[in-house]
Amino acid sequence: MKKIIIGIGRFFKEADIFLLALSLISAIYGVILISSTVISPMMRAPNAVYVQVGAIVIGLFLFVLFSYIDIDIIADKAVFLFIFSVLFISTLFIWGIGDAVGRRAWLRFFDIGIQPAEIVKVTFIIIIAKMMMNFKDRKTLNSVLSMGQLVVVFGVMFGLVWQVSQDIGTALVYLAMFGMMLFINGVRLRWFVIGAATVGITFPFFWTYLLSERQRNRILAPFLQEQIDPLRQDLLWQTDRSLEAIASGGFSGQGLGNGRLTQAGLVPAQHTDFIVSVAGEELGFIGIMLIIALLVAIIIRCMYVGAKSNNPLGMIVCTGIAAKFIAQTVMNLGMCLGILPVIGVTLPFFSYGGSSIVTCFAALGIVSGIKMRPKPLRFR
């Protein structure tokens, strides 16, 4: 009993309570928005609030757990993490469950859905961070061999997510995380130039043979509106309803539970990908800015903890986790505002989704653990 009390005291003294508070406030705010969509008779997920609350409880447990686990110990198992990640995503080949838009991204056990690619984001960050740290220690980060190894690991994960689950949005989040981790942690500009040139050369092949016509149209829709969807009844219909809901909310909104479009169920995926539209219509500009402020604060806190850490691995991991939140926030807001394609990216902590909530809390628990251990285990 005494050890438990000491452990609790240590957690509140040394863990990142500020980051925990930001996470919990964001998650509760998300539940409030989701509960407003449940009021709608058109809502097709009546148990969404209960699932979300359950995921938050699990996420809080993982936040505390990962706060106590040394990141060096986890990263030393990078090879195992890579094998686990590949096998976990590959299970979708056999047991993957599809959705209405053709993504086979979920494993389902009774009424519980698990999204492997969402969970593996954390292991991917740790794997890449461990490799980069090793290369930095040997002063070979910018060598051809080191960059080749990093690209191969990324390519395997990116290709699996894209091809197994047909989830372009999540695959692009992996790409964004990988690019930002390389850029922030010292990879030279020439490698980005080479990467951009390679993408430019191979892009026609990917565009022609790996994307369906509907996927291509979905990507082009925000930029070629008249050619892709002139009647605005197909690919642009979602975006138009989102913009209409946000615009109708004005500065202070129509009131929680009183949104005309939200309560009529006219915004597709309003409790998941388009949760910002609910905030915009019912809580107005103020509600959206509060969401952005909370997520920006989380991102800045991750970067701050990484910058203050004397652990090189911890610094790289923190930048990777910050990159995950940056990528998903920018992509989701871009979808809701009609300036980016609708590619099915959730908004961290706010969108409905148990896997997303649990992963976000676990990732920030790792950041909290890095704060608790400013020096690696071998140097203490």
Side-chain angles (χ1 to χ4, degrees):
M1 186 66 180
K2 184 179 179 180
K3 289 183 178 179
I4 295 175
I5 294 174
I6 293 174
I8 294 173
R10 184 186 170 217
F11 176 80
F12 282 100
K13 181 180 179 180
E14 299 180 9
D16 199 329
I17 302 302
F18 180 62
L19 190 59
L20 176 60
L22 288 173
S23 307
L24 193 55
I25 291 170
S26 299
I28 292 172
Y29 187 5
V31 169
I32 291 171
L33 294 174
I34 292 168
S35 67
S36 181
T37 68
V38 173
I39 300 172
S40 167
M42 301 299 292
M43 180 67 173
R44 296 182 180 179
N47 296 321
V49 172
Y50 303 109
V51 173
Q52 195 80 343
V53 170
I56 291 172
V57 172
I58 296 172
L60 287 172
F61 170 77
L62 291 178
F63 185 100
V64 175
L65 177 64
F66 281 109
S67 292
Y68 283 104
I69 299 177
D70 197 304
I71 187 61
D72 287 88
I73 296 175
I74 301 175
D76 283 342
K77 310 297 182 183
V79 174
F80 170 78
L81 291 177
F82 179 70
I83 295 171
F84 162 78
S85 301
V86 170
L87 292 177
F88 193 27
I89 295 176
S90 297
T91 57
L92 294 170
F93 274 123
I94 304 172
W95 298 294
I97 302 297
D99 61 11
V101 296
R103 292 179 301 174
R104 191 172 58 183
W106 286 268
L107 300 173
R108 189 160 295 280
F109 302 93
F110 303 103
D111 290 333
I112 300 174
I114 298 174
Q115 190 174 3
E118 187 68 34
I119 295 170
V120 168
K121 286 175 184 175
V122 177
T123 60
F124 173 76
I125 290 169
I126 296 172
I127 293 164
I128 296 298
K130 178 64 174 178
M131 293 177 68
M132 292 184 69
M133 191 199 73
N134 288 341
F135 297 148
K136 278 189 166 187
D137 286 346
R138 296 197 293 264
K139 302 187 185 304
T140 61
L141 177 60
N142 285 284
S143 70
V144 174
L145 182 60
S146 296
M147 289 306 301
Q149 292 178 56
L150 286 167
V151 170
V152 166
V153 171
F154 161 72
V156 170
M157 301 302 299
F158 180 84
L160 271 176
V161 172
W162 188 322
Q163 288 304 303
V164 176
S165 64
Q166 294 295 305
D167 190 346
I168 297 175
T170 301
L172 290 177
V173 172
Y174 277 79
L175 175 61
M177 291 191 302
F178 182 65
M180 282 189 269
M181 288 179 73
L182 296 184
F183 180 76
I184 294 172
N185 291 291
V187 171
R188 291 175 183 166
L189 182 60
R190 69 168 183 263
W191 287 113
F192 291 95
V193 174
I194 292 172
T198 303
V199 170
I201 293 170
T202 59
F203 182 76
F205 171 81
F206 283 97
W207 184 261
T208 304
Y209 298 106
L210 297 183
L211 292 176
S212 67
E213 182 180 1
R214 185 163 183 84
Q215 287 174 327
R216 292 195 292 268
N217 288 340
R218 186 178 290 276
I219 293 171
L220 293 174
F223 315 108
L224 300 174
Q225 298 183 10
E226 293 300 322
Q227 294 89 332
I228 300 296
D229 188 10
L231 299 179
R232 309 186 78 86
Q233 294 296 312
D234 186 15
L235 294 174
L236 294 174
W237 189 80
Q238 257 185 317
T239 303
D240 286 351
R241 298 292 77 71
S242 171
L243 291 172
E244 185 181 352
I246 292 172
S248 67
F251 184 75
S252 58
Q254 299 177 11
L256 197 64
N258 295 317
R260 178 178 60 85
L261 294 173
T262 298
Q263 299 310 314
L266 294 179
V267 180
Q270 60 187 20
H271 65 303
T272 54
D273 298 348
F274 285 85
I275 194 70
V276 168
S277 304
V278 178
E281 182 175 44
E282 299 194 343
L283 300 176
F285 177 77
I286 296 173
I288 293 179
M289 290 308 299
L290 179 57
I291 290 175
I292 295 174
L294 286 167
L295 290 172
V296 168
I298 288 172
I299 292 165
I300 292 174
R301 185 64 180 180
C302 290
M303 297 296 290
Y304 174 80
V305 171
K308 287 300 223 178
S309 173
N310 293 320
N311 183 347
L313 176 67
M315 182 184 69
I316 301 173
V317 169
C318 284
T319 60
I321 291 171
K324 162 185 152 56
F325 282 91
I326 292 171
Q328 290 190 223
T329 300
V330 170
M331 290 181 186
N332 183 273
L333 291 176
M335 289 187 337
C336 294
L337 296 175
I339 57 178
L340 290 177
V342 178
I343 51 177
V345 175
T346 57
L347 188 65
F349 285 117
F350 292 91
S351 294
Y352 168 73
S355 296
S356 176
I357 282 286
V358 168
T359 301
C360 287
F361 272 108
L364 296 185
I366 291 173
V367 176
S368 175
I370 292 168
K371 176 182 177 294
M372 290 178 71
R373 295 172 180 80
K375 292 184 179 181
L377 183 63
R378 60 182 177 273
F379 294 145
R380 290 205 304 275

